[in-house]
Amino acid sequence: MSVMALILLMAVAGCSKEEESPTATAVPASSDGGSQVASGVSAIAAERGLTEADIEAAVKTFVPSGTHDEYILFASGGHSGQMLVIGMPSMRLLKVVGVYTPEPWQGWAVGDASETSHILDGGDLQDGTELTWGDTHHPALSETAGDYDGEWAFINEKANGRVAVIDLRDFETKQIIKNPLSMSNHGATMVTPDTKWVIEGGQFPAPLDGSYASIDEYEEKWRGVLTMWKFDRSTGRINYDESFAVETPPYWQDLCDAGKLVSAGMIFCGSFNSEMATGGIEDGNPPLEAGISQADMDYLHIFDIDKMTAAVAAGKTDMINGFPVISLETAAAEGILHFAPEPKSPHGADVTPDGEFVVVSGKLDPHVTVYSVPKIKEAIAAGATERDPFGVGILDFDTVVEVQVEVGLGPLHTQFDDQGYAYTSLFLDSAVARWTLGGSFSDLHSEPDWELIHKTPVHYNIGHLVTTEGDTVSPDGKYLVAMNKWSIDRFNVVGPLLPQNFQLLDISESGTTMPVIYDSPIGIGEPHYAQIIKADKLNPWEVYPEVGWNPETQSLDPRAVAPGEEGVTRDGNNVTVKSTLIRSHFTPERVNVKVGDRVTWHMTNLETAFDATHGFALPGQNINLSLEPGEHQTIEFEVTDEGVFTFYCTEFCSALHLEMAGFFMVAPN
Ligand code: K7E
Ligand code: CUA
């Protein structure tokens, strides 16, 4: 069925734009005014029990074969440790980028032999413990002047406190860094509007040097941390030596957002557990979730980047685990950190596109609290009148809050569009709330400012939500994706572990029209957050720029093998193999080694054709590589067991793909 036919059908059937009309009647099978095409479609619709709203949703999301999606969603892969790349509005999964977990299709960090394994090793614990999974939460796209530039992506890893850099020329992970001070993070990753800094906010406090301290010393010795990673676009890497951290009180720091425009240079992080509860239900204490939720207010953390870098330049840092840290005392004294009270177990802290407001949601408060950045600046200039037990200045709530808007139960995160609306996820209501912004957004909408306009039910238990280019200075406002934690009855049952449900909402119309138009099951981890970029802002390579390209260095590899250079050479126990791959053979096809040899194997894919990827599977050695057109890889491993092993290509690359193989023969020594 074609889009044209569907449009025809809607014209014939007088399709209504009313949303959320699951009870609407199915399209009648016979249509008196229609063409044959339309009646064919209406017959299908009748047979399948589709309503007019269903057909409208289908037409909005259908991307015909051979055409491309308008937007690309970069979603966290949750505890799969990966990052998902999804086309919109079709919601087709385009790629799962290997980040913190080995990914065999991409040859990503499988085994110990490859260079990608060494990138993953960059995130190993200080004692050398290898990590083979991660819990990703918040991807961040690189920005120029506050707008996505399509060059880089960053993503945090909550469970062990890591940050990764992904190059959007080839959608591969290039760097993984382990935080030297913390075993966890959460307000990560966010970037400043120029991507000079990648922000890694913490979550669970602990002594920053990794030592033991009794829980009775929680207030005295356990600490939180905010880490500022300096990103260098010229190298495409985080520069560890120019990075630093700020010590924070042992409250549980949560989501962060970087200021932009009027708030550029500021960082806002929510927190909970100002109570400094430490649990101990087994000793008769209130359980953690009750202890943490006692106080009416927690603290929005407000950081000043210029004051941080001035303190670092002035040498006002301590070295902890070899990493410069601005102490809590210095942060408080120099005004690097201020607090603003925030109500009832806050979660999200989101800066509006003009940078003028920060929207905070308390999970146990039906309101969102909107802070005014100019008022925060004035209050800081006037001097804080109160201080927390660690000496951090607390700004007066009523002085810095612009307004509170009642939106519904369990508000978590907020996103923005181009019509002057904000969208807040309501976990307990299982809904997306649309409400109006004031200030510079007032003229964009026709309704009164700061007012709830509409709620669309979602299915179910929404966590984050994300709008098209919603974190930039100029959101597009076309689509919203509700990232729902539970899917319950929405899909075929696939056993007791259910997929999450990304629901696509059309937010292009104003007022109360905001229908769900697609359900997309996510059967890999629990994605928390995502960002959506206009697809034409991305400029990825179709093939590597030159034959012999090393994706780890993003340059021509001096070890690349040219046709005619193939062969096996031996120097004592060191065997060097030089291979080329092209449809449909490996050269050489016979590699003879002995037990105890150390093998260095250079492999160059000579292909320059779009999509002509070859794989390299070597049984017995836990090796699988993906060599994309032009790619060079070098692997190194030791041979411990005799036998004959047939290596083969793992990508069905040609009619004679099954013949693309060779023999790795290990003789006894
Ligand atoms: Cu799941 Cu952003 Cu980690 Cu909220 S966080 S849902
Ligand atoms: Cu190369 Cu299959």
Side-chain angles (χ1 to χ4, degrees):
M1 105 182 71
S2 71
V3 173
M4 188 44 76
L6 283 166
I7 291 166
L8 261 172
L9 168 76
M10 287 192 302
V12 167
C15 222
S16 108
K17 279 183 175 151
E18 279 307 306
E19 58 169 319
E20 296 143 36
S21 49
T23 52
T25 49
V27 174
S30 64
S31 151
D32 48 15
S35 66
Q36 277 189 332
V37 179
S39 64
V41 173
S42 56
I44 294 167
E47 192 191 331
R48 298 194 65 211
L50 300 180
T51 64
E52 291 167 7
D54 293 335
I55 294 167
E56 190 170 352
V59 175
K60 282 177 177 172
T61 56
F62 181 67
V63 176
S65 178
T67 60
H68 293 177
D69 280 297
E70 187 184 358
Y71 286 94
I72 303 291
L73 174 91
F74 289 87
S76 138
H79 38 321
S80 76
Q82 316 293 45
M83 188 178 76
L84 313 180
V85 184
I86 292 170
M88 288 175 55
S90 73
M91 301 307 283
R92 294 178 295 193
L93 177 66
L94 302 174
K95 195 170 222 176
V96 177
V97 177
V99 188
Y100 297 102
T101 306
E103 207 296 314
W105 167 56
Q106 295 154 73
W108 170 250
V110 174
D112 298 321
S114 71
E115 288 170 75
T116 56
S117 307
H118 302 149
I119 295 175
L120 182 58
D121 291 346
D124 285 350
L125 301 186
Q126 278 83 357
D127 69 0
T129 301
E130 279 195 42
L131 303 173
T132 54
W133 78 285
D135 183 15
T136 60
H137 280 231
H138 307 105
L141 294 165
S142 60
E143 296 178 13
T144 299
D147 222 338
Y148 301 146
D149 55 38
E151 293 186 3
W152 306 93
F154 309 90
I155 194 162
N156 76 311
E157 196 281 290
K158 173 173 169 166
N160 292 280
R162 291 178 288 170
V163 165
V165 179
I166 295 150
D167 190 333
L168 296 180
R169 285 174 294 183
D170 62 358
F171 285 58
E172 286 193 7
T173 304
K174 301 303 172 190
Q175 185 182 27
I176 294 179
I177 285 189
K178 169 77 195 84
N179 191 298
L181 306 168
S182 180
M183 269 296 182
S184 72
N185 64 34
H186 195 225
T189 49
M190 282 78 199
V191 297
T192 51
D194 52 7
T195 318
K196 199 166 155 191
W197 298 103
V198 179
I199 299 159
E200 183 187 13
Q203 179 115 91
F204 304 127
L208 296 189
D209 62 1
S211 65
Y212 170 81
S214 146
I215 201 152
D216 298 329
E217 300 173 295
Y218 184 86
E219 192 170 334
E220 188 191 336
K221 293 192 172 166
W222 296 41
R223 287 293 177 267
V225 68
L226 175 98
T227 308
M228 298 292 289
W229 294 109
K230 182 79 180 290
F231 184 64
D232 182 345
R233 275 182 196 261
S234 66
T235 60
R237 299 289 184 276
I238 284 168
N239 187 334
Y240 194 93
D241 295 332
E242 288 186 35
S243 305
F244 64 89
V246 184
E247 182 185 26
T248 60
Y251 313 142
W252 292 18
Q253 282 80 30
D254 204 23
L255 266 282
C256 299
D257 202 358
K260 54 184 76 137
L261 299 173
V262 294
S263 51
M266 302 170 90
I267 298 170
F268 306 93
C269 302
S271 75
F272 50 104
N273 202 10
S274 57
E275 300 85 348
M276 292 189 277
T278 55
I281 189 173
E282 60 281 10
D283 297 327
N285 296 326
L288 264 180
E289 76 273 22
I292 287 177
S293 309
Q294 278 163 5
D296 278 338
M297 293 283 185
D298 288 286
Y299 297 122
L300 175 68
H301 291 42
I302 304 160
F303 294 92
D304 184 318
I305 300 177
D306 284 344
K307 286 183 180 164
M308 287 178 196
T309 52
V312 171
K316 294 179 183 171
T317 50
D318 304 319
M319 294 302 269
I320 302 178
N321 292 342
F323 198 75
V325 182
I326 298 171
S327 70
L328 182 48
E329 200 185 343
T330 303
E334 307 272 324
I336 289 168
L337 175 60
H338 281 91
F339 290 147
E342 48 180 4
K344 299 310 284 179
S345 302
H347 187 37
D350 297 286
V351 178
T352 52
D354 64 353
E356 192 168 339
F357 303 106
V358 185
V359 181
V360 165
S361 308
K363 302 181 291 263
L364 304 178
D365 179 345
H367 298 85
V368 289
T369 302
V370 182
Y371 297 79
S372 154
V373 169
K375 288 179 182 174
I376 287 173
K377 286 182 173 177
E378 275 170 40
I380 289 174
T385 47
E386 244 192 287
R387 303 214 163 244
D388 88 328
F390 301 92
V392 180
I394 304 171
L395 310 177
D396 176 59
F397 181 77
D398 293 326
T399 305
V400 295
V401 167
E402 180 76 20
V403 66
Q404 290 188 290
V405 184
E406 185 166 347
V407 291
L409 297 180
L412 295 183
H413 300 285
T414 298
Q415 282 272 290
F416 308 97
D417 70 3
D418 59 345
Q419 301 189 74
Y421 294 130
Y423 300 84
T424 299
S425 52
L426 304 174
F427 181 86
L428 297 174
D429 273 351
S430 279
V432 174
R434 169 186 262 179
W435 50 281
T436 51
L437 294 163
S440 71
F441 304 97
S442 204
D443 296 340
L444 296 175
H445 55 78
S446 54
E447 300 93 340
D449 294 345
W450 311 120
E451 211 172 84
L452 176 69
I453 300 299
H454 178 72
K455 287 196 231 178
T456 293
V458 292
H459 314 90
Y460 303 88
N461 296 2
I462 181 175
H464 275 274
L465 39 58
V466 56
T467 55
T468 40
E469 306 229 332
D471 280 311
T472 70
V473 293
S474 58
D476 285 5
K478 197 160 182 179
Y479 301 110
L480 179 149
V481 174
M483 305 176 75
N484 305 317
K485 307 291 185 187
W486 287 27
S487 62
I488 310 183
D489 57 356
R490 307 316 276 188
F491 306 111
N492 301 64
V493 175
V494 288
L497 179 62
L498 269 55
Q500 310 255 315
N501 186 11
F502 281 11
Q503 279 185 311
L504 182 66
L505 277 69
D506 178 356
I507 57 165
S508 58
E509 285 186 55
S510 57
T512 57
T513 302
M514 201 168 84
V516 171
I517 54 173
Y518 198 76
D519 278 26
S520 184
I522 304 294
I524 176 169
E526 182 196 317
H528 291 258
Y529 189 47
Q531 288 191 331
I532 304 168
I533 187 172
K534 197 97 195 300
D536 61 16
K537 283 189 177 177
L538 296 164
N539 201 10
W541 290 328
E542 295 179 350
V543 299
Y544 279 109
E546 291 178 74
V547 170
W549 196 262
N550 181 329
E552 279 66 61
T553 61
Q554 294 290 43
S555 61
L556 193 63
D557 195 312
R559 302 165 299 182
V561 185
E565 289 178 357
E566 301 94 341
V568 183
T569 54
R570 170 179 290 280
D571 175 12
N573 279 345
N574 293 312
V575 175
T576 302
V577 188
K578 292 184 175 180
S579 291
T580 58
L581 294 75
I582 196 161
R583 282 163 286 174
S584 302
H585 53 267
F586 293 97
T587 310
E589 293 179 330
R590 294 178 183 171
V591 177
N592 285 291
V593 300
K594 293 198 184 84
V595 170
D597 283 346
R598 175 148 196 93
V599 177
T600 304
W601 199 324
H602 305 289
M603 262 171 272
T604 303
N605 180 352
L606 301 177
E607 305 278 0
T608 54
F610 204 1
D611 210 359
T613 294
H614 298 289
F616 174 79
L618 181 56
Q621 301 291 342
N622 194 29
I623 287 170
N624 187 50
L625 304 177
S626 170
L627 292 123
E628 288 112 55
E631 179 168 347
H632 176 84
Q633 288 266 330
T634 293
I635 56 172
E636 291 179 63
F637 58 96
E638 241 155 83
V639 185
T640 52
D641 296 308
E642 69 171 69
V644 292
F645 306 93
T646 306
F647 58 86
Y648 70 98
C649 172
T650 35
E651 284 272 333
F652 209 112
C653 52
S654 66
L656 296 177
H657 149 81
L658 287 169
E659 288 78 359
M660 188 169 172
F663 305 104
F664 183 67
M665 294 168 282
V666 186
N669 197 338

